[in-house]
Amino acid sequence: MPTRKPTNRLFDRRGFLRQSTLATLGTMLGTELVFADRLPPNYLPLAFDRTDPLDPMSSKHKDLIVLSDKPWNIETPPHLLDDRVTPAERMFVRNNGLIPDAVDPTTWTLTINGESARAAKTYTLADLKKRFRTHTYQLTLECAGNGRAGFFPKTAGNQWSEGAVSCAEWTGVRLKDILADVGLKPDAAYIGYYGRDLHLSQDPKKEVISRGVPMFKAFEDETLVAWAMNGQDIPLAHGAPLRLVIGGWPASVSGKWLHTISVRNKIHDGAKMTGKSYKVPIDPVEPGQDPPENRFKIIESMPVKSVITFPKTGITSPNGRPIALRGHAWAGDRVVRSVEVSMDFGATWQPAKLEPPRNRLAWQHWSAEVRPPRPGYYELWARATDETGVSQPMVMPQWNPEGYCNNACHRVAVKVV
Ligand SMILES: Nc1nc2c(c(=O)[nH]1)N[C@H]1C(S)=C(S)[C@@H](COP(=O)(O)O)O[C@H]1N2
Ligand SMILES: [Mo]
């Protein structure tokens, strides 16, 4: 594990306040901190600026929205997702633990182990680059909790609106090529990843998140062990120096700061694979109802969805001028067949122009033009349909206790004046 040396007495290396120093802090503020011993861990009086040396916002567009900073969870407003390929500075961040502070690509290794690997094998980053063919794919990564803020009743967890989705260009080697080199036993059923991030408790023995996918998904051409994003080294917040990248499924299966992949003979049982994490009820439940654990199933391919990246919600547009709209659409493992737009709350729809994906599991770009008939308030809606004919719902879809997979139509407001 990386070493964590304190930088000063008040804060540890990550900017966490040392509990024992609250009294000292009080003295520094010129006031007594009454009941300092009862304050929650990591509590810091507002008078002190917290500076996390690993703050991902230092390299993000300033208009990204910080949902939390311990762990870092940062969302992208939809109008900042306008690029065809998401740049690093506009990519949402979803962390379950603390970003590792000592990642050295020169000594980094990937170990393949597990009961269904013929033998454990370890590769350096240089081995991976040298021994296997390199591939590049654009891959849509959407947090399963994207859209959670739209569920009523409210569910626990980060209240993501629309922007926990990205489609960057990832470069690395195919996981299936590495697994073929290692050799698998016939009972191989699932892979599980392990990353170098640290549990919020800072206990190095505690697992943050360790998820995975069944073999058929692990073996897809587009499932990569990647070291580059958009032609550059992967940024630290996004999993440097090595990351598992799996498009179309909850982004939680794309393990950051990857050091180990276990080949399992059963469904992987790492952190956040068990309990109700990343699972939805098997039977449709009444909003607010929470069925027992054995009535939940793991989310696999994400549902069809689209986002309007232009115009930005709230704009005004001159009467008589057509309004250009554009955005992206994706459908998990499926292809998007069509996108339609509406300016009358879904009463009528008109087809958008839709491009094919750059490669399988990349989002698709769409564009349209609407002509509001007279001045006033309008909402522009977009609705995507996948290749099997399944469309986005116009209102909140099936409620579920963890608030996953809200793929309701995105809408933006426009005033015609
Ligand atoms: N090691 C590790 N990998 C992780 C996570 C994490 O907390 N630790 N979060 C997962 C979740 S829930 C999501 S949605 C994506 C977010 O990827 P991003 O931060 O690069 O956008 O990373 C996934 N991989
Ligand atoms: Mo996620």
Side-chain angles (χ1 to χ4, degrees), residues 33-107:
L33 276 180
V34 193
F35 302 130
D37 56 330
R38 295 188 202 170
L39 291 171
N42 304 323
Y43 171 83
L44 185 59
L46 266 181
F48 283 84
D49 236 1
R50 277 197 289 195
T51 43
D52 180 348
L54 306 177
D55 179 355
M57 276 306 280
S58 59
S59 55
K60 292 289 178 187
H61 188 289
K62 64 173 182 27
D63 293 337
L64 265 57
I65 301 154
V66 177
L67 299 185
S68 72
D69 64 356
K70 279 188 176 69
W72 284 104
N73 283 295
I74 304 172
E75 144 151 43
T76 313
H79 71 279
L80 292 183
L81 285 174
D82 199 37
D83 299 82
R84 298 169 77 87
V85 175
T86 312
E89 58 141 32
R90 288 160 187 239
M91 181 179 278
F92 82 99
V93 176
R94 199 289 184 248
N95 291 338
N96 290 268
L98 304 171
I99 298 175
D101 60 4
V103 297
D104 179 359
T106 62
T107 55

Side-chain angles (χ1 to χ4, degrees), residues 372-396:
R374 61 174 67 85
Y377 172 86
Y378 293 85
E379 272 190 25
L380 309 179
W381 295 19
R383 179 176 73 180
T385 301
D386 74 20
E387 59 188 315
T388 69
V390 175
S391 298
Q392 290 181 257
M394 282 177 271
V395 296
M396 179 182 93

